């Protein structure tokens, strides 16, 4: 198990009911982590619509995560 900090924006923040949290997970990649959280919190967006950043850099969904990482999930944002 690893411990990571997660931050959510926009619709994901609304669906989670929190903007950030620290969790323990067995996920090895950003994709596995999002899949785990999507199931747990019933996120409605697929990985095709969400970007992931790890330690302040946009990354591929198959990027490995490690203990201490800061992971941010960024959904599309509408503005006006």
């Amino acid at each position: 198990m690893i411990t990571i900090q997660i931050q959510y924006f926009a619709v994901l923040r609304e669906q989670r009911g929190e903007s950030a949290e620290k969790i323990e997970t067995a996920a090895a990649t950003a994709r596995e982590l999002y899949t785990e959280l999507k199931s747990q919190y019933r996120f409605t967006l697929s990985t095709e619509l969400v970007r992931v950043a790890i330690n302040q850099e946009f990354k591929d969904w198959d990027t490995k995560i490690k203990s201490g990482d800061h992971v941010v999930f960024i959904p599309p944002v509408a503005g006006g």
Side-chain angles (χ1 to χ4, degrees):
M1 298 290 275
I2 60 172
T3 302
I4 58 170
Q5 180 72 33
I6 302 174
Q7 192 169 1
Y8 306 101
F9 289 103
V11 69
L12 296 178
R13 180 182 62 227
E14 293 169 17
Q15 291 174 350
R16 170 61 185 97
E18 298 284 340
S19 61
E21 65 182 327
K22 183 181 259 186
I23 68 162
E24 287 191 354
T25 182
T29 66
R31 183 184 312 276
E32 288 177 15
L33 175 62
Y34 186 75
T35 299
E36 175 185 311
L37 297 170
K38 184 177 179 184
S39 174
Q40 185 175 356
Y41 301 130
R42 295 186 173 102
F43 292 156
T44 57
L45 299 177
S46 69
T47 54
E48 289 80 31
L49 297 174
V50 177
R51 304 263 330 252
V52 62
I54 301 172
N55 301 324
Q56 301 179 341
E57 291 183 24
F58 284 111
K59 296 290 185 177
D60 182 87
W61 281 104
D62 296 317
T63 300
K64 301 281 187 197
I65 54 175
K66 61 187 181 315
S67 196
D69 280 350
H70 182 253
V71 180
V72 180
F73 295 113
I74 307 165
V77 179

